Amino acid sequence: WQRRVLHDEL
Amino acid sequence: MNIFRLFGDLSHLAAIIILLLKIWKSRSCAGISGKSQILFAIVFTTRYLDLLTSFISLYNTSMKMIYIGCSYATVYLIYAKFRATYDGNHDSFRVEFLIVPVGGLAVLINHDFSLLEILWTFSIYLESVAILPQLFMISKTGEAETITTHYLFCQGLYRALYLINWIWRFYFEGFFDMIAIVAGVVQTILYCDFFYLYVTKVLKGKKLSLPA
């Protein structure tokens, strides 16, 4: 589970 | 940004605008599930709270605002302006059966246990099933207007293009978001049956009607 809090998709 | 992602976004935008224009021009929301549209408004609201906390690009910000604005406009047209034409008796899907489990799952499986992140996760899970009241309504009435099927096709195409976008991003950027991918696969699968009917009936000029 990759932690990625900045979501760049819609 | 790759071409699949861009066309996915544009297909999503097309779906939203087709629905809005259909209701506006026909002055009627017959055959449209208000419940699905409320769910989509909740999806956009809970997902795009990051408009307040982070800036990604002008494209990103403007698309988010357009999606939110259009989804609220659609809900307004269905439940206020053209309420008399709303087919509430056939829009009988119990949305609490979606919202409650989806909320629980978002609390349990997320990238980070923070309010914004849980709401984002909730929106991803909810979007994957938000079309169910609409599909349920079509299965109850047994038919859908052709323009409604174009709306559904654009929604499904958007999902399919996003799947290709994720494959692309995995190969070329090493990026993947497991939550978005699993929810996106589920969402795309929900459209498969509809895609079949769309290709075999609507594209051949027939109205979408289900066998009794």
Side-chain angles (χ1 to χ4, degrees):
Chain A
W1 300 90
Q2 181 181 344
R3 178 180 285 209
R4 186 186 174 92
V5 176
L6 185 70
H7 304 288
D8 64 346
E9 291 180 343
L10 297 168
Chain B
M1 169 79 87
N2 57 63
I3 195 149
F4 303 109
R5 156 79 199 282
L6 178 64
F7 278 94
D9 288 347
L10 292 178
S11 175
H12 197 184
L13 185 64
I16 292 169
I17 290 178
I18 284 171
L19 185 65
L20 203 50
L21 281 182
K22 171 202 152 57
I23 297 173
W24 184 256
K25 296 253 177 195
S26 67
R27 324 289 293 167
S28 164
C29 57
I32 303 299
S33 165
K35 289 182 176 175
S36 273
Q37 295 310 312
I38 287 179
L39 292 180
F40 282 123
I42 296 172
V43 162
F44 291 135
T45 308
T46 51
R47 185 174 309 167
Y48 298 154
L49 286 172
D50 66 353
L51 276 172
L52 306 171
T53 61
S54 53
F55 178 81
I56 291 155
S57 67
L58 190 60
Y59 170 83
N60 195 284
T61 301
S62 37
M63 289 295 263
K64 284 174 175 172
M65 288 169 57
I66 293 169
Y67 285 180
I68 292 179
C70 287
S71 73
Y72 278 92
T74 305
V75 169
Y76 165 76
L77 291 185
I78 295 173
Y79 284 96
K81 196 161 175 61
F82 302 126
R83 191 188 180 93
T85 64
Y86 170 55
D87 196 5
N89 287 333
H90 284 126
D91 194 11
S92 50
F93 194 93
R94 300 280 298 272
V95 287
E96 59 270 34
F97 291 153
L98 296 180
I99 294 198
V100 172
V102 155
L105 194 63
V107 171
L108 288 175
I109 302 178
N110 51 59
H111 292 312
D112 183 34
F113 200 79
S114 65
L115 181 64
L116 270 189
E117 192 55 25
I118 288 172
L119 286 174
W120 178 86
T121 313
F122 171 76
S123 86
I124 292 288
Y125 295 153
L126 185 60
E127 186 189 350
S128 69
V129 291
I131 202 64
L132 285 178
Q134 180 65 63
L135 296 176
F136 181 71
M137 194 171 180
I138 291 175
S139 75
K140 270 196 104 177
T141 60
E143 60 176 27
E145 285 183 41
T146 299
I147 192 89
T148 306
T149 66
H150 296 330
Y151 161 74
L152 285 168
F153 176 76
C154 286
Q155 283 274 14
L157 180 64
Y158 141 64
R159 293 320 308 185
L161 287 166
Y162 254 70
L163 288 188
I164 304 171
N165 157 56
W166 290 325
I167 295 168
W168 180 281
R169 292 191 73 175
F170 179 70
Y171 275 106
F172 294 102
E173 300 169 32
F175 164 84
F176 70 99
D177 183 329
M178 197 48 91
I179 287 177
I181 290 171
V182 172
V185 169
V186 169
Q187 189 174 352
T188 312
I189 289 171
L190 293 182
Y191 286 90
C192 284
D193 186 39
F194 166 79
F195 271 144
Y196 174 76
L197 290 172
Y198 187 81
V199 171
T200 54
K201 290 199 169 179
V202 181
L203 290 185
K204 289 179 182 152
K206 288 183 233 162
K207 196 177 158 84
L208 192 146
S209 55
L210 304 174

